[in-house]
Amino acid sequence: MTAQIIDGKLVAGEIKAKVKERVEALKARGVTPGLAAVLVGDDPASATYVSSKAKACEQLGIYSEVIRKPATTAQSELVDIVRSLNANPKIHGILVQSPLPKQIDEMAVTLIIDPRKDVDGFHPHNVGLMLMGRGHLLPCTPHGIIKLMEYYKIDPSGKEVVVVGRSNIVGKPVAALLMQKAPMANATVTVAHSQSRNLAEIVRRADIVIAAIGRPRTITAEMIKPGAVVIDVGVNRVEESTSTKGYRLVGDVDFAGCFEKASYITPVPGGVGPMTIAMLMSNTVSAAEEFAQNRS
Ligand code: NDP
């Protein structure tokens, strides 16, 4: 058996086309959605993510600003920047790109963001609503994973889902979304992490495996059950001297091995990554729609 490849670029393209229509409808009402991204420091991967997000905004007619600050930026300055974006009527979505330099308390910054502009869905207000099944601004990567499954008619209802990784931005929220009593959810969810014993045994139970680990090829073919759905969130740079960049991107899953055994699999790149950006665009437009609604 070989797996069907889940084409994140294709699905993200369709989602972005719908977002573009919503942008046009908002513009007809006199509101141009706006997204501000704050980039602190010079992490090359973060710079790439921020420029991809700005490029997507441009494609869809969303106004965007990128605020670049040096790695030495003080917490107080970052807080002032976020406060001024909260007050800026041109901006409906704010994202502060992680990782942040060590002098900055990431949680404190998240708490300052106006929850109505929290398009990453990381503010405890939005996290709480998501847990209660009432989320409006859902975290982009987890929501993107669900949209991918929906597109390929992979219904998690009643299935065993194993999420490997328990970060606040991927592992925990994707587990929370999949356990909801709701369509495209209703799964039996297990969350594994670095302290889990017998990871292979846990993963082998899964009808759907979601890997959000940040370690290349942690999930191998021997660990998955035949016919499992494999969603690879990981983005890892591995050195490759033959590439012009000097590296190539790989996921957390041994793609070649799992491809032979899974029913569906996401590639890296081109799987979950494009969905994260598409859902960020969608959240920005949702925030602008809410703003337009409250204004009228
Ligand atoms: P974190 O580093 O915050 O979390 C990693 C998780 O993996 C932790 O819960 C950790 O456990 C667990 N873990 C680490 N090693 C092992 C192991 N050997 N066995 C089992 N579990 C392990 O990462 P993120 O969640 O932020 O990101 C994960 C990956 O996804 C990264 O590669 C990141 O670049 C990528 N990513 C991709 C996105 C996309 O759009 N495609 C978006 C966001 C992230 P513990 O909690 O015990 O430390």
Side-chain angles (χ1 to χ4, degrees), residues 49 141 164-167 169-171 192-195 199 212-215 218 233-236 252 272-273 276:
Y49 294 142
T141 304
V164 189
R166 58 176 164 185
S167 71
I169 65 168
V170 190
H193 44 74
S194 71
Q195 305 306 306
L199 184 66
I213 307 160
R215 283 166 185 262
T218 309
V233 183
V235 181
N236 306 292
D252 292 340
V272 174
T276 298

PDB file of all heavy atoms in Angstrom, residues 49 141 164-167 169-171 192-195 199 212-215 218 233-236 252 272-273 276, ligand 1:
ATOM      1  N   TYR A  49       9.086  32.960   7.762  1.00  0.00           N
ATOM      2  CA  TYR A  49       7.652  32.824   8.044  1.00  0.00           C
ATOM      3  C   TYR A  49       6.951  34.170   7.906  1.00  0.00           C
ATOM      4  O   TYR A  49       5.889  34.270   7.308  1.00  0.00           O
ATOM      5  CB  TYR A  49       7.401  32.283   9.467  1.00  0.00           C
ATOM      6  CG  TYR A  49       7.870  30.864   9.683  1.00  0.00           C
ATOM      7  CD1 TYR A  49       8.450  30.460  10.881  1.00  0.00           C
ATOM      8  CD2 TYR A  49       7.717  29.906   8.684  1.00  0.00           C
ATOM      9  CE1 TYR A  49       8.884  29.157  11.074  1.00  0.00           C
ATOM     10  CE2 TYR A  49       8.155  28.602   8.875  1.00  0.00           C
ATOM     11  CZ  TYR A  49       8.730  28.239  10.066  1.00  0.00           C
ATOM     12  OH  TYR A  49       9.152  26.944  10.243  1.00  0.00           O
ATOM     13  N   THR A 141      -2.423  26.520  13.038  1.00  0.00           N
ATOM     14  CA  THR A 141      -1.923  25.205  12.606  1.00  0.00           C
ATOM     15  C   THR A 141      -2.934  24.102  12.962  1.00  0.00           C
ATOM     16  O   THR A 141      -3.304  23.310  12.077  1.00  0.00           O
ATOM     17  CB  THR A 141      -0.525  24.936  13.212  1.00  0.00           C
ATOM     18  OG1 THR A 141       0.332  26.011  12.821  1.00  0.00           O
ATOM     19  CG2 THR A 141       0.056  23.629  12.721  1.00  0.00           C
ATOM     20  N   VAL A 164       1.576  13.625  18.934  1.00  0.00           N
ATOM     21  CA  VAL A 164       2.891  13.563  19.590  1.00  0.00           C
ATOM     22  C   VAL A 164       3.397  15.000  19.676  1.00  0.00           C
ATOM     23  O   VAL A 164       3.654  15.648  18.658  1.00  0.00           O
ATOM     24  CB  VAL A 164       3.890  12.658  18.840  1.00  0.00           C
ATOM     25  CG1 VAL A 164       5.157  12.463  19.688  1.00  0.00           C
ATOM     26  CG2 VAL A 164       3.259  11.300  18.524  1.00  0.00           C
ATOM     27  N   GLY A 165       3.514  15.493  20.901  1.00  0.00           N
ATOM     28  CA  GLY A 165       3.874  16.894  21.151  1.00  0.00           C
ATOM     29  C   GLY A 165       2.757  17.567  21.930  1.00  0.00           C
ATOM     30  O   GLY A 165       1.577  17.305  21.670  1.00  0.00           O
ATOM     31  N   ARG A 166       3.129  18.404  22.906  1.00  0.00           N
ATOM     32  CA  ARG A 166       2.119  19.050  23.754  1.00  0.00           C
ATOM     33  C   ARG A 166       2.384  20.541  23.897  1.00  0.00           C
ATOM     34  O   ARG A 166       2.220  21.112  24.983  1.00  0.00           O
ATOM     35  CB  ARG A 166       2.083  18.377  25.126  1.00  0.00           C
ATOM     36  CG  ARG A 166       3.419  18.410  25.822  1.00  0.00           C
ATOM     37  CD  ARG A 166       3.365  17.829  27.214  1.00  0.00           C
ATOM     38  NE  ARG A 166       4.702  17.528  27.698  1.00  0.00           N
ATOM     39  CZ  ARG A 166       4.958  16.930  28.853  1.00  0.00           C
ATOM     40  NH1 ARG A 166       3.979  16.572  29.636  1.00  0.00           N
ATOM     41  NH2 ARG A 166       6.206  16.698  29.207  1.00  0.00           N
ATOM     42  N   SER A 167       2.854  21.157  22.813  1.00  0.00           N
ATOM     43  CA  SER A 167       3.100  22.600  22.902  1.00  0.00           C
ATOM     44  C   SER A 167       1.764  23.350  22.932  1.00  0.00           C
ATOM     45  O   SER A 167       0.723  22.809  22.539  1.00  0.00           O
ATOM     46  CB  SER A 167       3.919  23.079  21.697  1.00  0.00           C
ATOM     47  OG  SER A 167       3.122  23.042  20.529  1.00  0.00           O
ATOM     48  N   ILE A 169       1.062  25.782  21.064  1.00  0.00           N
ATOM     49  CA  ILE A 169       0.644  26.267  19.744  1.00  0.00           C
ATOM     50  C   ILE A 169       0.184  25.151  18.801  1.00  0.00           C
ATOM     51  O   ILE A 169      -0.567  25.413  17.884  1.00  0.00           O
ATOM     52  CB  ILE A 169       1.731  27.157  19.083  1.00  0.00           C
ATOM     53  CG1 ILE A 169       3.002  26.368  18.779  1.00  0.00           C
ATOM     54  CG2 ILE A 169       2.065  28.349  19.924  1.00  0.00           C
ATOM     55  CD1 ILE A 169       3.951  27.150  17.885  1.00  0.00           C
ATOM     56  N   VAL A 170       0.625  23.932  19.048  1.00  0.00           N
ATOM     57  CA  VAL A 170       0.195  22.834  18.164  1.00  0.00           C
ATOM     58  C   VAL A 170      -0.419  21.669  18.954  1.00  0.00           C
ATOM     59  O   VAL A 170      -1.612  21.387  18.835  1.00  0.00           O
ATOM     60  CB  VAL A 170       1.338  22.293  17.261  1.00  0.00           C
ATOM     61  CG1 VAL A 170       0.747  21.346  16.214  1.00  0.00           C
ATOM     62  CG2 VAL A 170       2.128  23.384  16.576  1.00  0.00           C
ATOM     63  N   GLY A 171       0.394  20.983  19.738  1.00  0.00           N
ATOM     64  CA  GLY A 171      -0.050  19.721  20.351  1.00  0.00           C
ATOM     65  C   GLY A 171      -1.313  19.860  21.190  1.00  0.00           C
ATOM     66  O   GLY A 171      -2.314  19.177  20.937  1.00  0.00           O
ATOM     67  N   ALA A 192       1.036  12.318  23.448  1.00  0.00           N
ATOM     68  CA  ALA A 192       2.340  11.792  23.891  1.00  0.00           C
ATOM     69  C   ALA A 192       3.362  12.918  23.852  1.00  0.00           C
ATOM     70  O   ALA A 192       3.166  13.935  23.170  1.00  0.00           O
ATOM     71  CB  ALA A 192       2.770  10.654  22.964  1.00  0.00           C
ATOM     72  N   HIS A 193       4.439  12.755  24.598  1.00  0.00           N
ATOM     73  CA  HIS A 193       5.462  13.808  24.700  1.00  0.00           C
ATOM     74  C   HIS A 193       6.797  13.175  25.057  1.00  0.00           C
ATOM     75  O   HIS A 193       6.915  11.933  25.055  1.00  0.00           O
ATOM     76  CB  HIS A 193       5.028  14.865  25.723  1.00  0.00           C
ATOM     77  CG  HIS A 193       4.469  14.259  26.961  1.00  0.00           C
ATOM     78  ND1 HIS A 193       5.265  13.656  27.905  1.00  0.00           N
ATOM     79  CD2 HIS A 193       3.189  14.066  27.349  1.00  0.00           C
ATOM     80  CE1 HIS A 193       4.507  13.156  28.847  1.00  0.00           C
ATOM     81  NE2 HIS A 193       3.226  13.379  28.539  1.00  0.00           N
ATOM     82  N   SER A 194       7.764  14.010  25.418  1.00  0.00           N
ATOM     83  CA  SER A 194       9.117  13.450  25.608  1.00  0.00           C
ATOM     84  C   SER A 194       9.203  12.517  26.817  1.00  0.00           C
ATOM     85  O   SER A 194      10.135  11.723  26.909  1.00  0.00           O
ATOM     86  CB  SER A 194      10.141  14.584  25.749  1.00  0.00           C
ATOM     87  OG  SER A 194       9.970  15.230  26.983  1.00  0.00           O
ATOM     88  N   GLN A 195       8.245  12.607  27.711  1.00  0.00           N
ATOM     89  CA  GLN A 195       8.281  11.728  28.897  1.00  0.00           C
ATOM     90  C   GLN A 195       7.427  10.482  28.722  1.00  0.00           C
ATOM     91  O   GLN A 195       7.319   9.668  29.650  1.00  0.00           O
ATOM     92  CB  GLN A 195       7.808  12.507  30.140  1.00  0.00           C
ATOM     93  CG  GLN A 195       8.579  13.801  30.411  1.00  0.00           C
ATOM     94  CD  GLN A 195      10.071  13.566  30.485  1.00  0.00           C
ATOM     95  OE1 GLN A 195      10.530  12.728  31.247  1.00  0.00           O
ATOM     96  NE2 GLN A 195      10.842  14.276  29.671  1.00  0.00           N
ATOM     97  N   LEU A 199       6.733   5.079  23.191  1.00  0.00           N
ATOM     98  CA  LEU A 199       6.101   5.916  22.166  1.00  0.00           C
ATOM     99  C   LEU A 199       5.613   5.069  20.986  1.00  0.00           C
ATOM    100  O   LEU A 199       4.502   5.256  20.490  1.00  0.00           O
ATOM    101  CB  LEU A 199       7.090   6.995  21.688  1.00  0.00           C
ATOM    102  CG  LEU A 199       6.521   7.989  20.687  1.00  0.00           C
ATOM    103  CD1 LEU A 199       5.437   8.854  21.308  1.00  0.00           C
ATOM    104  CD2 LEU A 199       7.629   8.892  20.124  1.00  0.00           C
ATOM    105  N   ALA A 212       4.024  16.635  16.082  1.00  0.00           N
ATOM    106  CA  ALA A 212       4.417  18.040  16.276  1.00  0.00           C
ATOM    107  C   ALA A 212       5.529  18.049  17.316  1.00  0.00           C
ATOM    108  O   ALA A 212       5.325  18.405  18.478  1.00  0.00           O
ATOM    109  CB  ALA A 212       3.230  18.875  16.724  1.00  0.00           C
ATOM    110  N   ILE A 213       6.699  17.626  16.896  1.00  0.00           N
ATOM    111  CA  ILE A 213       7.786  17.301  17.809  1.00  0.00           C
ATOM    112  C   ILE A 213       8.983  18.238  17.640  1.00  0.00           C
ATOM    113  O   ILE A 213       9.594  18.688  18.605  1.00  0.00           O
ATOM    114  CB  ILE A 213       8.239  15.825  17.569  1.00  0.00           C
ATOM    115  CG1 ILE A 213       7.039  14.868  17.637  1.00  0.00           C
ATOM    116  CG2 ILE A 213       9.322  15.418  18.561  1.00  0.00           C
ATOM    117  CD1 ILE A 213       7.255  13.527  16.980  1.00  0.00           C
ATOM    118  N   GLY A 214       9.333  18.498  16.386  1.00  0.00           N
ATOM    119  CA  GLY A 214      10.508  19.330  16.113  1.00  0.00           C
ATOM    120  C   GLY A 214      11.789  18.513  16.099  1.00  0.00           C
ATOM    121  O   GLY A 214      12.868  19.036  16.385  1.00  0.00           O
ATOM    122  N   ARG A 215      11.668  17.227  15.786  1.00  0.00           N
ATOM    123  CA  ARG A 215      12.841  16.344  15.659  1.00  0.00           C
ATOM    124  C   ARG A 215      12.681  15.506  14.397  1.00  0.00           C
ATOM    125  O   ARG A 215      11.696  14.767  14.282  1.00  0.00           O
ATOM    126  CB  ARG A 215      12.941  15.395  16.857  1.00  0.00           C
ATOM    127  CG  ARG A 215      13.479  16.067  18.077  1.00  0.00           C
ATOM    128  CD  ARG A 215      13.226  15.196  19.285  1.00  0.00           C
ATOM    129  NE  ARG A 215      13.641  15.921  20.465  1.00  0.00           N
ATOM    130  CZ  ARG A 215      14.809  15.771  21.065  1.00  0.00           C
ATOM    131  NH1 ARG A 215      15.671  14.894  20.617  1.00  0.00           N
ATOM    132  NH2 ARG A 215      15.102  16.483  22.133  1.00  0.00           N
ATOM    133  N   THR A 218      11.225  11.303  13.716  1.00  0.00           N
ATOM    134  CA  THR A 218      10.963  10.629  14.999  1.00  0.00           C
ATOM    135  C   THR A 218       9.917   9.532  14.816  1.00  0.00           C
ATOM    136  O   THR A 218       9.947   8.513  15.494  1.00  0.00           O
ATOM    137  CB  THR A 218      10.471  11.651  16.052  1.00  0.00           C
ATOM    138  OG1 THR A 218      11.388  12.736  16.074  1.00  0.00           O
ATOM    139  CG2 THR A 218      10.370  11.065  17.435  1.00  0.00           C
ATOM    140  N   VAL A 233       3.594  17.788  11.231  1.00  0.00           N
ATOM    141  CA  VAL A 233       3.623  19.247  11.448  1.00  0.00           C
ATOM    142  C   VAL A 233       5.067  19.767  11.448  1.00  0.00           C
ATOM    143  O   VAL A 233       5.323  20.928  11.150  1.00  0.00           O
ATOM    144  CB  VAL A 233       2.937  19.597  12.792  1.00  0.00           C
ATOM    145  CG1 VAL A 233       2.876  21.108  13.006  1.00  0.00           C
ATOM    146  CG2 VAL A 233       1.526  19.018  12.852  1.00  0.00           C
ATOM    147  N   GLY A 234       5.992  18.903  11.753  1.00  0.00           N
ATOM    148  CA  GLY A 234       7.384  19.327  11.965  1.00  0.00           C
ATOM    149  C   GLY A 234       8.014  20.029  10.770  1.00  0.00           C
ATOM    150  O   GLY A 234       7.752  19.687   9.620  1.00  0.00           O
ATOM    151  N   VAL A 235       8.820  21.017  11.084  1.00  0.00           N
ATOM    152  CA  VAL A 235       9.640  21.678  10.062  1.00  0.00           C
ATOM    153  C   VAL A 235      11.048  21.744  10.633  1.00  0.00           C
ATOM    154  O   VAL A 235      11.295  22.478  11.595  1.00  0.00           O
ATOM    155  CB  VAL A 235       9.140  23.104   9.750  1.00  0.00           C
ATOM    156  CG1 VAL A 235      10.016  23.734   8.670  1.00  0.00           C
ATOM    157  CG2 VAL A 235       7.688  23.107   9.301  1.00  0.00           C
ATOM    158  N   ASN A 236      11.926  20.931  10.097  1.00  0.00           N
ATOM    159  CA  ASN A 236      13.300  20.861  10.624  1.00  0.00           C
ATOM    160  C   ASN A 236      14.270  21.123   9.485  1.00  0.00           C
ATOM    161  O   ASN A 236      14.105  20.595   8.390  1.00  0.00           O
ATOM    162  CB  ASN A 236      13.561  19.467  11.188  1.00  0.00           C
ATOM    163  CG  ASN A 236      12.519  19.057  12.226  1.00  0.00           C
ATOM    164  OD1 ASN A 236      12.461  19.631  13.296  1.00  0.00           O
ATOM    165  ND2 ASN A 236      11.684  18.083  11.894  1.00  0.00           N
ATOM    166  N   ASP A 252       8.849  15.648  10.950  1.00  0.00           N
ATOM    167  CA  ASP A 252       9.117  14.808  12.125  1.00  0.00           C
ATOM    168  C   ASP A 252       8.902  13.334  11.794  1.00  0.00           C
ATOM    169  O   ASP A 252       9.102  12.462  12.642  1.00  0.00           O
ATOM    170  CB  ASP A 252       8.171  15.191  13.271  1.00  0.00           C
ATOM    171  CG  ASP A 252       8.468  16.576  13.823  1.00  0.00           C
ATOM    172  OD1 ASP A 252       9.581  17.086  13.606  1.00  0.00           O
ATOM    173  OD2 ASP A 252       7.571  17.166  14.468  1.00  0.00           O
ATOM    174  N   VAL A 272       1.207  20.744   6.015  1.00  0.00           N
ATOM    175  CA  VAL A 272       0.543  21.579   7.029  1.00  0.00           C
ATOM    176  C   VAL A 272       0.957  23.062   6.901  1.00  0.00           C
ATOM    177  O   VAL A 272       0.140  23.958   7.143  1.00  0.00           O
ATOM    178  CB  VAL A 272       0.872  21.032   8.443  1.00  0.00           C
ATOM    179  CG1 VAL A 272       0.343  21.946   9.533  1.00  0.00           C
ATOM    180  CG2 VAL A 272       0.312  19.619   8.606  1.00  0.00           C
ATOM    181  N   GLY A 273       2.206  23.311   6.520  1.00  0.00           N
ATOM    182  CA  GLY A 273       2.725  24.688   6.489  1.00  0.00           C
ATOM    183  C   GLY A 273       1.838  25.679   5.740  1.00  0.00           C
ATOM    184  O   GLY A 273       1.454  26.719   6.298  1.00  0.00           O
ATOM    185  N   THR A 276      -1.275  26.692   7.659  1.00  0.00           N
ATOM    186  CA  THR A 276      -1.115  27.623   8.781  1.00  0.00           C
ATOM    187  C   THR A 276      -1.290  29.061   8.274  1.00  0.00           C
ATOM    188  O   THR A 276      -1.998  29.869   8.888  1.00  0.00           O
ATOM    189  CB  THR A 276       0.286  27.431   9.411  1.00  0.00           C
ATOM    190  OG1 THR A 276       0.371  26.095   9.903  1.00  0.00           O
ATOM    191  CG2 THR A 276       0.547  28.407  10.539  1.00  0.00           C
TER     192      THR A 276
HETATM  193  P1  NDP B   1       7.810  22.500  20.835  1.00  0.00           P
HETATM  194  O1  NDP B   1       9.286  22.359  20.876  1.00  0.00           O
HETATM  195  O2  NDP B   1       7.153  23.607  21.567  1.00  0.00           O
HETATM  196  O3  NDP B   1       7.151  21.118  21.343  1.00  0.00           O
HETATM  197  C1  NDP B   1       7.661  19.888  20.950  1.00  0.00           C
HETATM  198  C2  NDP B   1       6.910  18.790  21.661  1.00  0.00           C
HETATM  199  O4  NDP B   1       7.475  17.546  21.247  1.00  0.00           O
HETATM  200  C3  NDP B   1       7.032  18.846  23.181  1.00  0.00           C
HETATM  201  O5  NDP B   1       5.788  18.589  23.774  1.00  0.00           O
HETATM  202  C4  NDP B   1       8.041  17.740  23.521  1.00  0.00           C
HETATM  203  O6  NDP B   1       7.798  17.107  24.751  1.00  0.00           O
HETATM  204  C5  NDP B   1       7.744  16.755  22.397  1.00  0.00           C
HETATM  205  N1  NDP B   1       8.915  15.900  22.133  1.00  0.00           N
HETATM  206  C6  NDP B   1      10.197  16.260  21.961  1.00  0.00           C
HETATM  207  N2  NDP B   1      10.977  15.202  21.720  1.00  0.00           N
HETATM  208  C7  NDP B   1      10.158  14.128  21.769  1.00  0.00           C
HETATM  209  C8  NDP B   1      10.368  12.749  21.612  1.00  0.00           C
HETATM  210  N3  NDP B   1      11.568  12.236  21.346  1.00  0.00           N
HETATM  211  N4  NDP B   1       9.300  11.928  21.726  1.00  0.00           N
HETATM  212  C9  NDP B   1       8.071  12.420  21.968  1.00  0.00           C
HETATM  213  N5  NDP B   1       7.808  13.728  22.113  1.00  0.00           N
HETATM  214  C10 NDP B   1       8.837  14.565  22.017  1.00  0.00           C
HETATM  215  O7  NDP B   1       7.436  22.523  19.294  1.00  0.00           O
HETATM  216  P2  NDP B   1       6.149  23.085  18.507  1.00  0.00           P
HETATM  217  O8  NDP B   1       4.931  22.348  18.913  1.00  0.00           O
HETATM  218  O9  NDP B   1       6.151  24.550  18.530  1.00  0.00           O
HETATM  219  O10 NDP B   1       6.550  22.660  17.017  1.00  0.00           O
HETATM  220  C11 NDP B   1       6.742  21.311  16.681  1.00  0.00           C
HETATM  221  C12 NDP B   1       7.247  21.245  15.263  1.00  0.00           C
HETATM  222  O11 NDP B   1       6.267  21.761  14.389  1.00  0.00           O
HETATM  223  C13 NDP B   1       8.517  22.070  14.993  1.00  0.00           C
HETATM  224  O12 NDP B   1       9.280  21.404  14.018  1.00  0.00           O
HETATM  225  C14 NDP B   1       7.980  23.361  14.414  1.00  0.00           C
HETATM  226  O13 NDP B   1       8.907  24.009  13.579  1.00  0.00           O
HETATM  227  C15 NDP B   1       6.806  22.844  13.631  1.00  0.00           C
HETATM  228  N6  NDP B   1       5.741  23.807  13.410  1.00  0.00           N
HETATM  229  C16 NDP B   1       5.221  23.849  12.156  1.00  0.00           C
HETATM  230  C17 NDP B   1       4.193  24.684  11.866  1.00  0.00           C
HETATM  231  C18 NDP B   1       3.637  24.660  10.502  1.00  0.00           C
HETATM  232  O14 NDP B   1       2.893  25.549  10.145  1.00  0.00           O
HETATM  233  N7  NDP B   1       3.945  23.649   9.697  1.00  0.00           N
HETATM  234  C19 NDP B   1       3.624  25.586  12.869  1.00  0.00           C
HETATM  235  C20 NDP B   1       4.186  25.416  14.183  1.00  0.00           C
HETATM  236  C21 NDP B   1       5.208  24.554  14.424  1.00  0.00           C
HETATM  237  P3  NDP B   1       7.945  17.899  26.156  1.00  0.00           P
HETATM  238  O15 NDP B   1       6.678  18.715  26.269  1.00  0.00           O
HETATM  239  O16 NDP B   1       8.011  16.816  27.158  1.00  0.00           O
HETATM  240  O17 NDP B   1       9.168  18.751  26.060  1.00  0.00           O
END
